[in-house]
Amino acid sequence: MGIRLQDMVVHAKHIMQLRRHAATSSKNQIRCSSSGISGVDDVPKGHFAIYVGVEEEKKERFVVPISYLKQPMFQDLLLKAADEFGFDQMGGITLPCGVEEFTSLASRLN
């Protein structure tokens, strides 16, 4: 049973609605923060937080622009996340790739 891209987009839009009241900074760069739990207040308007890493204790939190949702390479990672973790993830969206792989992809998207 596969996850449809449309379902991922709907889920991502819902996340964006929840984060609409976040801080208003509009830098178009990814930001990495510690893997500790952070509140929605440090996510600027037009961005969302994700977690990246294959090992639980080595995950890093990134704040990325919403524009990434339109990028096919990022959509592929979201589909992999849905296949691996489903839609009922606790916390935030976790992408099943290494930090180096993600930062390389992010540099190509910027």
Side-chain angles (χ1 to χ4, degrees):
M1 181 172 164
I3 304 293
R4 297 180 318 172
L5 180 58
Q6 181 180 4
D7 293 336
M8 287 295 297
V9 171
V10 168
H11 184 68
K13 285 181 182 178
H14 179 69
I15 290 169
M16 295 307 105
Q17 290 171 351
L18 294 175
R19 300 188 187 275
R20 192 169 302 248
H21 299 290
T24 59
S25 174
S26 62
K27 294 179 183 175
N28 197 22
Q29 298 177 351
I30 65 167
R31 294 185 302 152
C32 178
S33 63
S34 67
S35 59
I37 298 173
S38 298
V40 73
D41 293 335
D42 65 342
V43 179
K45 183 176 182 178
H47 292 72
F48 63 103
I50 57 168
Y51 296 87
V52 177
V54 291
E55 297 179 40
E56 187 64 36
E57 63 276 356
K58 293 186 179 181
K59 287 184 182 172
E60 292 188 34
R61 182 176 185 265
F62 290 86
V63 177
V64 299
I66 291 175
S67 62
Y68 279 19
L69 295 172
K70 295 180 183 177
Q71 301 295 328
M73 290 186 292
F74 191 78
Q75 290 173 359
D76 288 344
L77 278 178
L78 289 175
L79 290 173
K80 287 179 186 176
D83 286 342
E84 187 163 328
F85 305 117
F87 287 116
D88 296 327
Q89 296 181 46
M90 293 300 292
I93 296 172
T94 300
L95 299 180
C97 67
V99 172
E100 288 181 19
E101 179 184 348
F102 176 74
T103 55
S104 175
L105 174 118
S107 69
R108 287 180 273 161
L109 297 178
N110 284 332

